[in-house]
């Protein structure tokens, strides 16, 4: 598989530390042991292990290599550095199911010491003294032997660059440790070497390379280098410069810095001729001893003798195999200096010598520890020649010889290149063999490439070598040829340098994987079975994964178990960032809100909050999973995506979700899942419910209303803040807002509004509509719920008309209204009459609304009971009223009319509808009674009656000329009016 990694990764925040416990050996807060040990799969040395052979000794638990991914990255560590990985912080286990606690990554970045924890968080960076170059080693200050696997808390050796100290002629290096109270690292010790005896060479670089406990003392070993010392004579008597190896007796690891300084043990000071500080030494514990062998690089321009107190003199212009015993209180000789000039390329000069303790087995005699010496050349600065690999026993005796071309020659590479060296069991179980050519090689093999971290070699090959001193083993081709004692099991033309070796998948085949770096590409390869077709045709390596870091040159690769879950990770540092590749932990996202069952309403802002226990899942998908419970078991129903690829780049991330209609009425939980690994990295919240707005109205008390009448609604509600009343005519689809009112939180509501004016009322014809639809809409923010539709019959607003009902003689009607009493627009009033109960209407007149009263002279042809209509034209104001008993029906003759009271008498002839009492009155024009000719006289139907009036008023005076009204009234309340005129 190939993965392209984006070059932009975000900085991470501060880790919330778990409680720490253990033995406190420093002040204040330096911890040197813990109850739960960290994973022993660590990377405590620049080249992986104490031997420098780029191998993580602890195999991984089972994991699928085709599913490993970039778990997180940080730009806090990047560039030309070799980060180290170990138990720096001393955290407790990340998960209760893990066997170990986590490891941390540390490196020097500029003038800061950086620590990044297993979850991808960068701790506060520690300010460093000047000239600190690298973290050169992590070591357990309680370990009593060198190079052992450790699960305990480690301290950091800090290498300094070569600098000239004119103030006091001291060269420094430092030991740093983690300070739990400050959540950062701090300087524990300053290691100082007095260089005044080497004046004018008062400059040096000190590289701590190992530490161990001896009694109550912590011993720290360091290499010292001066690259271009000034030398006056070839026999100076004492060493004119300090290149070599030394020991510091630091006591306990207390925070003594800045003073007192720890000086090196002069009796253990090893002064050497060639440079030895450019690479990691190789350590080994053999038979309880502790041994170190040093890399070296000669300076051909210096020819002096360099003596020391422990072993033979050496020369700067010679390369050596030399080693030292560090098992005791002082450094002693281990392997006396063996010049390499007789072993190296006779045509070459200035070789780069890297000796390695290699744990490989000679199947013939069972030896397991050898010394492999790589002879390399830079191709510059006089370092030119044929690169070779030489094998020695642990006493420093040569096993391969340049002159032994038949059985034990060195392994010969190409011109002008160095070697990347590793060891590991790459051919696996004993069942993997192809006899007679490839018997299984028990134990580890040597893995080398011709390209290195510093230099790429054209035509680079990766070689798998073994050492076997037994009988000859046939080569499959050419025929009748045999493998040398130190020879290849396989080789293949592959670009890249060997960066690390580890059994990453714990496959039953027992094979360890090889990690190769080529520029920006990291490739994992595995040796194929010897009897496979691909191996036989010259393709011995199977690519098991590839990661391409998008033009970011890789500077370092390490293998360690970061989290303590037993599954090893690959830690890749580029010039842009550091990446952790492995099997993604499942429980690295912790949703903390909503934390318990809750209810929310439409428009509520719901806070989704989660913790990133491990950084690196830069984007997440946020979903809502609707759930139900059946017999107590939660079952998922459907999933609704809320947000895709939401940035997830902080310890605690919050997302504010406004409850919307897509989730109304649903109960469920929020799922936050990695966009990259959603099936493995996710967490869910507690279950909660989101309710939409609900508005339910009660039944209306009646179904008919007038325009302007107040209509009141009552009902129940939830999740709404206000209610609006909307109306629509039955012939229309448009809804008009009539009223909006806020409501209380009691769950019930009462709201009222005046009914609107309608335009469908007609004055002379049938109304086209009379129905009004009403909806109540409950609102919560932008969300709404509409009630059931109520349909009412709407009648016009009443026209405020009255007429004179007093007892007058006038048979006509005088209608009154006040325009100020009309609540709606009314310019003109249409007056009409219906004699058929409103089926049809006859227009009488149109009067201006401000012209009143209105006199209607009643036509004689109308029936006794009629329907009058007063209608504001083009408005919603109208009144229909019944008028009856207005026509003469019982008066037959009134004569003479007009008459003169002086000469004549008025005769009134009439009939009655039923047995009744009759009263006849006379009214003047002012509607005053002036005479009463008949008062409550009994009358019977079927008889014609005639009564008279002499024309005199009740006071005995004759009535004046003019119009008078004669009223005949019956005891049932009926009456008739008749006009009478007097003329003298």
């Amino acid at each position: 598989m190939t993965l392209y990694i984006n070059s932009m990764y975000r900085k991470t925040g501060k880790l919330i530390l778990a409680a720490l416990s253990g033995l406190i050996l420093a002040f204040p807060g330096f911890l040197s042991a813990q109850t739960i040990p960290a994973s022993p799969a660590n990377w405590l040395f620049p080249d992986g292990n104490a031997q420098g052979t780029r191998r993580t000794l602890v195999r991984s638990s089972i994991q699928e290599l085709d599913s490993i991914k970039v778990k997180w990255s940080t730009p806090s560590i990047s560039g030309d550095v070799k980060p180290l990985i170990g138990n720096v912080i001393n955290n407790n286990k990340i998960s209760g199911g893990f066997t170990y606690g986590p490891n941390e990554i540390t490196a020097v970045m500029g003038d800061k010491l950086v620590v990044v924890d297993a979850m991808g968080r960068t701790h506060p960076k520690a300010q460093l003294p000047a000239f600190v170059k690298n973290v050169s080693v992590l070591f357990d200050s309680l370990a009593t032997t060198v190079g052992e696997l450790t699960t305990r808390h480690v301290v950091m050796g800090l290498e300094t660059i070569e600098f000239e100290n004119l103030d006091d002629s001291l060269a420094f290096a430092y030991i740093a440790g983690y300070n739990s109270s400050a959540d950062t690292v701090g300087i524990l010790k300053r290691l100082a070497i007095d260089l005044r005896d080497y004046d004018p060479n008062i400059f040096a670089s000190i590289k701590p390379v190992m530490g161990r406990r001896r009694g109550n003392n912590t011993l720290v070993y360091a290499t010292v280098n001066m690259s271009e010392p000034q030398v006056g004579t070839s026999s100076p008597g004492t060493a004119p410069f300090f290149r070599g190896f030394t020991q510091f007796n630091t006591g306990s690891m207390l925070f003594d810095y800045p003073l007192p300084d720890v000086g090196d043990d002069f009796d253990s000071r090893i002064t050497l001729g060639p440079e030895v500080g450019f690479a990691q030494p190789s350590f080994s514990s053999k038979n309880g001893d502790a041994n170190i062998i040093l890399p070296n690089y000669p300076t051909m321009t210096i020819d002096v003798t360099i003596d020391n107190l422990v072993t033979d003199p050496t020369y700067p212009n010679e390369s050596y195999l030399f080693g030292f015993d560090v098992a005791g209180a002082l450094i002693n000789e281990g392997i006396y200096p063996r010049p390499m000039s007789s072993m190296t390329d006779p045509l070459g000069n200035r070789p780069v010598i890297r000796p390695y303790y290699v744990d490989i087995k000679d199947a013939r005699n069972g030896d397991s520890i050898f010394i492999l010496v790589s002879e390399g050349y830079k191709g510059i600065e006089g370092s030119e020649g044929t690169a070779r690999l030489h094998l020695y026993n642990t006493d420093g005796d040569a096993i391969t010889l340049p002159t032994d071309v038949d059985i034990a020659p060195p392994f010969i590479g190409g011109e002008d290149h160095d070697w990347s060296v590793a060891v590991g069991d790459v051919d696996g179980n004993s069942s993997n063999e192809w006899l007679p050519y490839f018997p299984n090689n028990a134990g580890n093999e040597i893995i080398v490439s011709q390209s290195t971290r510093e230099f790429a070699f054209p035509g680079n090959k990766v070689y798998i070598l073994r050492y076997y001193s037994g009988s000859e083993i046939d080569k499959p081709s050419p025929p009748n040829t045999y493998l040398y004692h130190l020879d290849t099991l396989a080789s293949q033309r592959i670009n890249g340098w060997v960066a690390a070796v580890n059994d990453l998948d714990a496959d039953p085949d027992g094979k360890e994987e090889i990690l190769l770096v080529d520029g920006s590409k990291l490739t994992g390869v595995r040796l194929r079975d010897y009897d496979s077709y691909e191996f036989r045709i010259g393709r011995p390596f199977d690519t098991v994964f590839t990661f391409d870091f998008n033009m970011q040159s890789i500077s370092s690769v390490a293998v360690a178990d970061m989290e303590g879950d037993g599954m090893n990770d690959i830690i890749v540092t580029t010039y842009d960032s550091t990446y952790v590749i492995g099997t993604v932990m499942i429980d690295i996202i912790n949703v903390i809100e909503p934390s318990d069952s809750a209810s929310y309403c439409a428009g509520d802002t719901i806070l989704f909050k989660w913790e990133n226990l491990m950084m690196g899942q830069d984007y997440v998908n946020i979903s809502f999973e609707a759930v139900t419970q059946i017999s107590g078991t939660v079952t998922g129903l459907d999933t609704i995506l809320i947000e895709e690829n939401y940035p997830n780049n902080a310890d605690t991330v919050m997302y504010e979700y406004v409850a919307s209609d897509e989730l109304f009425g649903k109960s469920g939980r929020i799922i936050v899942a990695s966009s990259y690994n959603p099936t493995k990295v996710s967490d869910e919240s507690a279950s909660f419910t989101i309710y939409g707005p609900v508005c339910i109205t009660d039944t209306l008390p009646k179904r008919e209303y007038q325009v302007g009448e107040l209509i009141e609604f009552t009902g129940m509600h939830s999740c709404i803040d206000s209610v609006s009343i909307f109306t629509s005519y039955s012939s229309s689809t448009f809804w008009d807002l009539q009223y909006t009112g806020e409501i209380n939180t009691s769950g019930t509501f009462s709201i009222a509004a005046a009914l609107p004016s309608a335009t469908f009322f007609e004055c002379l014809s049938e109304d086209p509509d009379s129905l009004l639809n009403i909806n109540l809409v409950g609102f919560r923010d932008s969300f709404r719920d509409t009630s059931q539709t109520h349909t009412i019959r709407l009648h016009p607003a009443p026209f405020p008309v009255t007429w004179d009902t007093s007892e007058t003689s006038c048979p006509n009607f005088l209608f009154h209204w006040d325009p100020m009493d009309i609540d709606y627009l009314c310019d003109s009033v249409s007056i009409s009459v219906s004699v058929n109960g409103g089926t049809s209407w006859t227009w009488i007149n149109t009067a201006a609304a401000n012209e009143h009263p209105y006199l209607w002279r009643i036509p004689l042809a109308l029936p006794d009971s009629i329907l009058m209509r007063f209608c504001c034209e083009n408005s919603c104001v109208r009144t229909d009223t019944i008028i009856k008993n207005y026509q003469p029906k019982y008066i037959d003759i009134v004569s003479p009319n007009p008459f003169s009271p002086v000469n004549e008498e008025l005769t009134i002839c009439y009939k009655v509808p039923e047995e009744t009492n009759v009263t006849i009155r006379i009214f003047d024009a002012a509607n005053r009674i002036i005479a009463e000719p008949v008062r409550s006289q009994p009358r019977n139907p079927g008889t014609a009656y005639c009564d008279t009036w002499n024309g005199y008023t009740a006071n005995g005076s004759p009535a004046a000329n003019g119009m008078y009204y004669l009223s005949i009234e019956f005891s049932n309340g009926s009456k008739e009016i008749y006009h009478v005129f007097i003329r003298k």
Side-chain angles (χ1 to χ4, degrees), residues 145-365:
T145 59
V146 298
E148 68 175 2
L149 291 175
T150 184
T151 62
R152 292 190 296 244
H153 195 193
V154 294
V155 295
M156 293 161 273
L158 304 182
E159 173 190 5
T160 52
I161 61 176
E162 198 169 289
F163 70 97
E164 186 173 26
N165 191 340
L166 297 177
D167 293 335
D168 51 18
S169 301
L170 294 178
F172 302 123
Y174 301 89
I175 303 298
Y178 180 73
N179 186 336
S180 62
S181 62
D183 186 27
T184 187
V185 290
I187 302 298
L188 300 174
K189 302 288 184 182
R190 184 167 74 173
L191 312 179
I193 297 178
D194 187 350
L195 298 176
R196 287 176 294 182
D197 289 343
Y198 303 105
D199 190 32
N201 298 314
I202 54 173
F203 57 91
S205 168
I206 303 176
K207 180 198 297 284
V209 294
M210 177 53 72
R212 68 183 182 91
R213 192 77 174 169
R214 180 176 174 83
N216 294 322
N217 198 12
T218 299
L219 308 182
V220 177
Y221 304 97
T223 58
V224 183
N225 193 66
M226 294 178 177
S227 58
E228 296 180 358
Q230 299 179 35
V231 178
T233 175
S234 61
S235 299
T238 59
F241 55 84
F242 192 177
R243 290 174 173 174
F245 187 60
T246 191
Q247 170 183 311
F248 296 87
N249 304 322
T250 65
S252 62
M253 282 296 161
L254 294 174
F255 278 96
D256 289 338
Y257 182 76
L259 289 174
D261 288 339
V262 178
D264 69 323
D265 189 329
F266 189 82
D267 292 334
S268 290
R269 185 179 293 184
I270 310 297
T271 52
L272 300 170
E275 296 186 54
V276 297
F278 62 89
Q280 177 192 328
S282 183
F283 289 90
S284 176
S285 295
K286 175 191 173 186
N287 300 324
D289 295 333
N291 301 278
I292 180 173
I293 45 179
L294 300 175
N296 54 100
Y297 185 47
T299 304
M300 308 308 292
T301 57
I302 302 177
D303 184 13
V304 295
T305 301
I306 304 297
D307 294 317
N308 63 75
L309 301 176
V310 173
T311 189
D312 294 348
T314 57
Y315 301 91
N317 55 2
E318 176 67 85
S319 55
Y320 296 89
L321 172 63
F322 37 46
F324 303 94
D325 179 5
V326 293
L330 300 176
I331 298 175
N332 295 303
E333 182 183 77
I335 300 174
Y336 69 89
R338 285 169 167 76
M340 294 295 296
S341 56
S342 62
M343 305 292 292
T344 56
D345 185 352
L347 299 179
N349 56 80
R350 207 180 183 195
V352 179
I353 298 299
R354 288 284 309 269
Y356 303 88
Y357 283 109
V358 290
D359 184 5
I360 58 174
K361 287 187 178 180
D362 176 6
R364 177 170 174 261
N365 56 33

